[in-house]
Structures are given as structure tokens and as C-alpha cells.
Amino acid sequence: MDPHKILFFPFVSEKSSQLIEENNSLEFVVRRRASKKLIKHAAEQLFEVKVDRVNTRITKEGKRAIIKLNPDYKAEDIATRIGIF
């Protein structure tokens, strides 16, 4: 499946900015039916990184995924590349 159909857009808030700096993680709004495995594969394919873990939660705005990157990659670099910072 196309990664753009799984990861819709980055979720930007004060807490998500803190996640980028402290936990090497990115937060995205994702397709509601996407599994953690699909989200992990889409992030790895789209950003050319290794993902350690994916946590998801469903809110009234939609499903969100916190994607923790492998320590070899920096979330700040990805955030700069996609225009968060």
C-alpha cells in the first residue's frame, strides 16, 4: 500500500515537539484501519529510517501514531525535512 495513504500528516503540538527532542519520536495522524505493522513499514519506506516502535491511540480527531526511531536516526532531521521545525 502507498505510504501516503497510511501516514496522512504530522501532528504538531507542544507535546509532539517535546517528543521529537527528548524521545526521538514523531507523531502522525494515520489511517484509522492501519495496523502498527503497516504504520512502521510506511514510515520506514517514506523517510528511509529504521523504526523501533509504534504506539497508536484513537482520539476524536482521528487515529494518531507515535513513531519512535532507531537511535541511529534523528527525529529532528526528519522533522526539518518535512517542515515541522
Side-chain angles (χ1 to χ4, degrees), residues 23-76:
N23 293 345
N24 200 32
S25 301
L26 298 166
E27 189 168 1
F28 282 88
V29 175
V30 297
R31 181 183 200 104
R32 182 136 182 159
R33 301 187 123 214
S35 65
K36 290 181 181 183
K37 190 175 182 180
L38 267 176
I39 295 167
K40 178 180 178 179
H41 181 69
E44 288 177 344
Q45 187 178 15
L46 196 60
F47 302 119
E48 299 171 354
V49 296
K50 287 285 187 185
V51 174
D52 279 350
R53 181 170 26 120
V54 175
N55 291 325
T56 60
R57 67 177 181 218
I58 297 175
T59 65
K60 61 184 176 182
E61 290 88 23
K63 187 173 185 178
R64 293 190 210 160
I66 297 174
I67 301 169
K68 180 156 177 60
L69 301 179
N70 189 299
D72 296 338
Y73 302 94
K74 294 203 174 255
E76 291 176 0

Side-chain angles (χ1 to χ4, degrees), residues 2 6 8 18 39 48 50 64 67 71 81-82 85:
D2 182 27
I6 296 171
F8 292 143
Q18 192 175 25
I39 295 167
E48 299 171 354
K50 287 285 187 185
R64 293 190 210 160
I67 301 169
R81 199 165 73 187
I82 60 177
F85 282 148

